[in-house]
Amino acid sequence: MAEFGSNLIRSRIHRALSRPNLLMGADRELVLLSALAAVILIFVVLTWYAAMAGMMFWLVAVAVLRMMAKADPLMRRVYLRHVSYKSVYRATSSPWRRY
């Protein structure tokens, strides 16, 4: 019986394959999207006020995204899946509830 357990094959999984893809502590795509929005704001308006507003927007957005990622790193994917399944799984109290 003890010999059977020793013949198990083990394979190592690299840590980078199972971790969420984060940039600056937040979801990578959302950080890059907020940076793109800030850069567009800065270079379209081309004033010092727009540059300051763009930088402030990006800093606040990254702070909020980091708080979101700290609560759940996969929150964006979970929310998108929730929205896509909303029509399939209705929020009802039981399967026999009348509509």
Side-chain angles (χ1 to χ4, degrees):
M1 204 62 162
E3 294 175 9
F4 181 73
S6 63
N7 293 332
L8 293 177
I9 298 172
R10 295 182 184 209
S11 58
R12 296 180 53 103
I13 298 175
H14 198 274
R15 191 180 344 172
L17 296 174
S18 61
R19 272 203 222 158
N21 198 0
L22 302 179
L23 177 68
M24 297 175 59
D27 187 21
R28 182 178 60 93
E29 286 115 11
L30 295 179
V31 168
L32 293 176
L33 186 67
S34 65
L36 179 66
V39 167
I40 287 172
L41 174 68
I42 291 170
F43 285 110
V44 166
V45 180
L46 285 177
T47 62
W48 288 108
Y49 298 119
M52 294 300 287
M55 290 299 291
M56 291 303 295
F57 165 75
W58 188 65
L59 291 174
V60 169
V62 168
V64 169
L65 291 172
R66 287 184 72 181
M67 286 190 299
M68 185 177 86
K70 193 172 189 180
D72 184 9
L74 302 174
M75 189 178 293
R76 179 184 58 92
R77 291 184 191 152
V78 170
Y79 177 72
L80 290 176
R81 188 173 54 213
H82 161 72
V83 170
S84 69
Y85 289 163
K86 194 180 266 188
S87 63
V88 177
Y89 299 110
R90 294 190 176 150
T92 58
S93 59
S94 75
W96 301 280
R97 183 177 181 268
R98 292 187 152 175
Y99 293 103

